[in-house]
Amino acid sequence: ALQAISIDCPSCGAPVSMNDRECSYCNRPILISSFSSMDGMSPTELHKYISSYRKELNDRPSDRRLNRAAALCYMKLKMYDKASQAFEKAIEDNLDDADSYFFAAISLLKGKKAFLAKRPEVDKAIEYLNAANMIEPKGIYAYFHAYIKYDYFVRKSLKTVPNYRELLAEAQGLGVTDYDVKVLFDLLNVARPAEL
């Protein structure tokens, strides 16, 4: 079992346990674990959370939950370089968290189309997606991979295996939903190509 580590609530500053989902004083999330947990948060509030996590990380730099929570906040604020660093740290500390690889791959594209990314960033994003898929195959991972294969490789007339159509079929087979796709393109901060 995880030991009860007490921290100050990032929202109101009350002493809370890191194992609690939300603060018993202000009812706000303690550790950000998904994008939906940040719905309705202002940039000011997100910065407050980041600053709280950074203070905690000074004492526990390898706490994967803190690193991942900070990374999600950075990503929501479109601070992609900082998000990349924090996701890499979260991955180092927990090699089995498929979603951290997925989010790390998204942050590598820095809110721009895959077409505009540099080849090393594209290769690294694909490496992360392959790692996520090996841990826990999900339709959204295959769909994101298909998007990269289409937007970077097809649009630049580069040969690639598997191609984006094979990956789209894989995504469908893994049960990707319209909601997954909407969330993906919101996270990527780009429009969904008509071909996908």
Side-chain angles (χ1 to χ4, degrees):
L2 292 169
Q3 66 203 50
I5 298 171
S6 68
I7 66 170
D8 293 336
C9 169
S11 187
C12 74
V16 293
S17 164
M18 243 170 74
N19 295 341
D20 294 337
R21 288 185 66 84
E22 50 185 47
C23 174
S24 52
Y25 300 94
C26 69
N27 297 320
R28 303 296 280 165
I30 294 166
L31 280 177
I32 300 291
S33 58
S34 67
F35 278 88
S36 59
S37 59
M38 293 182 281
D39 284 350
M41 283 193 187
S42 69
T44 308
E45 199 170 0
L46 289 168
H47 280 289
K48 198 169 158 186
Y49 269 74
I50 288 170
S51 139
S52 168
Y53 295 149
R54 283 179 45 189
K55 184 174 146 257
E56 295 296 333
L57 283 163
N58 284 335
D59 300 332
R60 293 186 298 283
S62 295
D63 189 302
R64 66 175 188 263
R65 295 178 300 167
L66 285 168
N67 277 305
R68 186 165 184 246
L72 287 165
C73 291
Y74 284 130
M75 205 161 147
K76 180 84 171 175
L77 290 166
K78 302 187 185 342
M79 297 168 77
Y80 298 107
D81 290 335
K82 289 201 176 292
S84 278
Q85 290 167 2
F87 281 124
E88 293 217 359
K89 191 81 186 89
I91 289 167
E92 262 174 51
D93 302 325
N94 181 9
L95 296 172
D96 298 329
D97 181 16
D99 279 346
S100 285
Y101 287 98
F102 169 69
F103 291 133
I106 288 174
S107 58
L108 282 169
L109 297 184
K110 298 180 170 61
K112 298 189 202 84
K113 292 179 177 215
F115 182 79
L116 299 171
K118 294 183 176 78
R119 182 64 187 259
E121 291 161 345
V122 167
D123 291 342
K124 184 93 172 155
I126 289 171
E127 183 186 315
Y128 281 154
L129 285 171
N130 286 334
N133 214 24
M134 286 191 322
I135 296 164
E136 183 186 355
K138 286 187 186 175
I140 193 168
Y141 302 161
Y143 197 96
F144 180 23
H145 197 165
Y147 162 71
I148 292 174
K149 292 292 184 129
Y150 171 76
D151 206 64
Y152 189 87
F153 292 87
V154 172
R155 289 186 60 204
K156 293 183 186 259
S157 303
L158 300 169
K159 285 198 182 309
T160 181
V161 178
N163 68 38
Y164 85 94
R165 287 188 180 92
E166 293 165 312
L167 289 161
L168 278 179
E170 182 184 330
Q172 298 301 327
L174 289 166
V176 72
T177 65
D178 289 341
Y179 179 76
D180 290 338
V181 173
K182 182 197 174 312
V183 167
L184 174 64
F185 286 101
D186 285 350
L187 294 176
L188 287 169
N189 201 33
V190 297
R192 178 180 177 178
E195 292 74 9
L196 301 181

